[in-house]
Amino acid sequence: MNIRSVVRGVGHYLPSRVVENKEFEATLDTSDEWIRSRTGIERRHFAAEGETTSQLAIKAAERALENAGMSVDQLDAIVVATSTPDYTFPSVATMVQAGLNMRQGFAYDIQAVCAGFVYALANANGLIVSGQAKCVLVIGAETFSRIMDWTDRGTCVLFGDGAGALILEAATGTGTTDDRGVLSTDLHSDGRYRELLYVDGGVSTNGQAGHLRMQGNAVFKHAVTKLAETAHTALEKVGLSGDDVDWLVPHQANLRIITATAERMQLPLERVVLTVQDHGNTSAASIPLALSIGAERGQIKEGDLLVTEAIGGGLAWGSVVLRW
């Protein structure tokens, strides 16, 4: 008997404030055309004053539960991927647990920046396969607008806020790649590249939230090679290839990175779920947002083979192969 972690429901939430590229023209030496041509981003959502990461996460979670037709009493655990928590502690996950009025189980956060949701999905799968949990709510939620340097046109136009949620439940599979659920995972990190993408603040350094700093060109080069490699590795682990993939659901950082990665995987853009134009880079929230919207659009259907992949600060990167 093979235990698989099967997707039962998805949901997402985006703050109401939509920020078009043109808004930046008033304060920065940039333009809508410049941003679109280099990133593919047209707009993004920003959280309202006082609107927190946990609040976004709770709304996405509620929608995922509704989509799954499940109640909070059926959950055993909550895993939240975020780099922009409400507080140093407690975890966002425990705040979501309280917000959902979930009295049982356990909840914790994972921090792997933009790769956070891939790490969280792999972690939740491990909980289910090992028998520690039968049903896990996995969330990616971020308010990156809170760590932007609004004078740095190379970073502040790239990011947005939002949350996406997915419910994984244990199911019996045959042990073949025809099974629904998570089929393989592949995770990596290399701490030598910290200076390429980091936030210049923290509890034990300067006691401040800090601002995001990035060497864009260097990150781009690492992203294209590492994302294609991890996707291939995850597929090879279960004897599959790019030809078997119905949808690539990548971290939505930059259209050029997504296009280059798809080309290396020999996948046409028609088989890539794209949301970067409307959301910008929402870090750990970007993959679950794309999964939820892809399902909502009718692109992702039951039985489809999906590959998700992401890279973020650390550097940390990885991929998950799953059958919807």
Side-chain angles (χ1 to χ4, degrees):
M1 185 176 75
N2 287 83
I3 299 298
R4 295 289 197 192
S5 307
V6 176
V7 177
R8 295 301 186 204
V10 282
H12 67 276
Y13 176 77
L14 291 158
S16 59
R17 184 186 170 196
V18 179
V19 179
E20 302 284 345
N21 288 342
K22 281 191 174 296
E23 279 201 37
F24 292 103
E25 293 177 4
T27 55
L28 294 169
D29 180 16
T30 192
S31 68
D32 175 49
E33 193 280 329
W34 189 93
I35 298 168
R36 285 183 190 232
S37 64
R38 285 162 178 78
T39 69
I41 298 167
E42 300 172 20
R43 63 193 62 83
R44 75 286 293 145
H45 294 250
F46 284 166
E49 188 174 348
E51 190 173 30
T52 64
T53 296
S54 67
Q55 289 169 356
L56 304 186
I58 289 165
K59 288 174 180 173
E62 289 170 342
R63 292 177 181 182
L65 284 163
E66 183 181 355
N67 180 252
M70 299 176 77
S71 72
V72 72
D73 297 337
Q74 293 172 265
L75 298 175
D76 297 312
I78 300 172
V79 182
V80 174
T82 187
S83 300
T84 50
D86 298 26
Y87 300 106
T88 301
F89 63 82
S91 66
V92 171
T94 54
M95 297 172 78
V96 173
Q97 184 184 30
L100 295 176
N101 198 29
M102 175 179 161
R103 305 294 178 89
Q104 75 286 351
F106 56 96
Y108 58 93
D109 290 356
I110 281 182
Q111 209 277 51
V113 201
C114 297
F117 188 76
V118 167
Y119 272 60
L121 201 56
N123 202 267
N125 177 61
L127 291 174
I128 289 171
V129 171
S130 68
Q132 292 181 76
K134 289 184 178 178
C135 190
V136 184
L137 172 62
V138 192
I139 304 170
E142 302 282 16
T143 48
F144 257 55
S145 61
R146 304 280 157 74
I147 53 170
M148 288 297 104
D149 176 351
W150 299 111
T151 66
D152 181 4
R153 69 172 187 171
T155 58
C156 73
V157 301
L158 303 178
F159 293 88
D161 303 336
L166 179 149
I167 296 171
L168 284 181
E169 187 177 38
T172 304
T174 62
T176 72
T177 55
D178 291 331
D179 288 345
R180 287 185 65 205
V182 174
L183 301 180
S184 70
T185 64
D186 184 59
L187 303 179
H188 302 271
S189 66
D190 191 333
R192 294 174 298 168
Y193 296 111
R194 179 180 71 84
E195 297 295 329
L196 300 186
L197 178 56
Y198 68 101
V199 170
D200 61 2
V203 175
S204 69
T205 50
N206 56 15
Q208 298 173 6
H211 293 121
L212 184 144
R213 305 298 180 195
M214 180 172 69
Q215 296 177 32
N217 290 337
V219 171
F220 180 91
K221 289 172 185 173
H222 280 284
V224 173
T225 55
K226 287 178 168 57
L227 290 175
E229 284 171 4
T230 184
H232 279 303
T233 300
L235 286 164
E236 286 169 1
K237 283 182 179 182
V238 284
L240 296 172
S241 70
D243 293 337
D244 300 302
V245 177
D246 293 300
W247 292 103
L248 175 65
V249 189
H251 168 49
Q252 310 283 321
N254 178 310
L255 184 58
R256 289 166 62 204
I257 292 173
I258 294 169
T259 302
T261 304
E263 284 175 359
R264 286 193 175 219
M265 292 182 66
Q266 297 182 314
L267 285 172
L269 270 182
E270 293 74 38
R271 285 161 63 190
V272 180
V273 176
L274 290 174
T275 59
V276 67
Q277 68 279 4
D278 296 320
H279 304 158
N281 182 344
T282 55
S283 188
S286 82
I287 287 175
L289 272 168
L291 288 168
S292 180
I293 287 168
E296 191 175 77
R297 287 174 183 164
Q299 291 174 297
I300 301 171
K301 298 180 175 67
E302 187 173 316
D304 282 354
L305 187 76
L306 276 55
V307 175
T308 69
E309 35 84 342
I311 187 168
L315 292 172
W317 66 100
S319 58
V320 174
V321 175
L322 67 97
R323 193 171 295 283
W324 199 252

